[in-house]
Amino acid sequence: MSSFSITATTAPGHTFTSRADLAAHYKSDWHRYNLKRKENNMACIDKQTFDKRVEAAKALRADREARAARGGADHLKGSDKEARKDLQTTAKAKKSLPSPSVGPKGADADEDFKIDPCDDLFSMSTPPARCPQANLDRMANTYGFFLPDAEYCVDVPGLLGYCAEKVKLGHYCLFCQRTFSSAMGCMRHMVDSGHTKLRYEEGVDLEEFEVFYDFTEANEEYLRGVAGKGSKGERAEGGGEGE
């Protein structure tokens, strides 16, 4: 019986032994947390460090809630001090980011794929594009692939690289979230099924892509619009009373 091992850039120090485990990781808080760190040019942290930070944060929150319930007492409990100490210690831990690779285990093992945002997400034979944007344009013309809310995407290379990792390493269909036994099989499925697109749906994969977008301008524009409607409504009501 052949076996294989596989790693992911957002899971330093961890080896996945099945596609199902890797798929589950892509939906985990650990994965999302490390995506945020990558966005801020920080090294990803390992699972043990992440778990310690989560426990420390829970301890801090529990202690704050307990103190608030007692009427806002300003003294710190021992657990709070320990939690702060853990946070300070783990904040100094900088792990070097591993290259995504697949170990050659058994006859059916995968190739050691290079993750490149210039590579076609749906074909192994297509040569790399000259730049990520050129790759995006080429995939749009060939497969109809597009980035949802493209005007708010602030990291096209990062998003394409992340998608390449899901397809080449995770064998993960970008649309239906199904996993396959090989990257080629996954690509063939996406092309044949018309799944050459992102699902981009809340509760499915939307949260995975948040790190590559910035909706600050859109949110501010929306709030200005809401405020403007409110002002018009108030003026209209005021005019009616005057009459």
Side-chain angles (χ1 to χ4, degrees), residues 85-107:
K85 184 178 179 181
D86 283 344
L87 283 175
Q88 292 171 354
T89 301
T90 54
K92 296 177 183 178
K94 295 278 186 174
K95 304 290 183 181
S96 58
L97 208 58
S99 299
S101 61
V102 180
K105 309 278 187 176

Side-chain angles (χ1 to χ4, degrees), residues 171-221:
H171 306 173
Y172 211 99
C173 174
L174 296 175
F175 183 73
C176 71
Q177 315 301 304
R178 178 181 166 191
T179 56
F180 294 81
S181 59
S182 68
M184 285 289 290
C186 180
M187 291 177 175
R188 202 157 38 236
H189 158 79
M190 289 190 289
V191 172
D192 293 345
S193 303
H195 287 184
T196 53
K197 52 191 173 184
L198 303 182
R199 187 67 169 263
Y200 202 64
E201 182 178 317
E202 187 173 356
V204 179
D205 63 348
L206 183 62
E207 295 79 7
E208 297 178 28
F209 298 109
E210 287 179 348
V211 68
F212 305 109
Y213 287 85
D214 184 356
F215 292 99
T216 303
E217 183 179 343
N219 292 337
E220 291 177 351
E221 183 177 338

Side-chain angles (χ1 to χ4, degrees), residues 25-61:
H25 168 69
Y26 284 136
K27 295 182 179 297
S28 70
D29 291 332
W30 180 30
H31 167 71
R32 286 190 286 269
Y33 182 81
N34 275 336
L35 276 181
K36 291 291 185 182
R37 289 181 64 83
K38 290 178 69 175
E39 178 187 26
N40 292 291
N41 297 317
M42 300 171 69
C44 294
I45 62 174
D46 59 28
K47 187 63 163 63
Q48 183 178 8
T49 302
F50 173 74
D51 289 340
K52 287 178 65 177
R53 293 190 180 191
V54 170
E55 291 304 315
K58 288 180 178 178
L60 284 171
R61 183 173 60 187

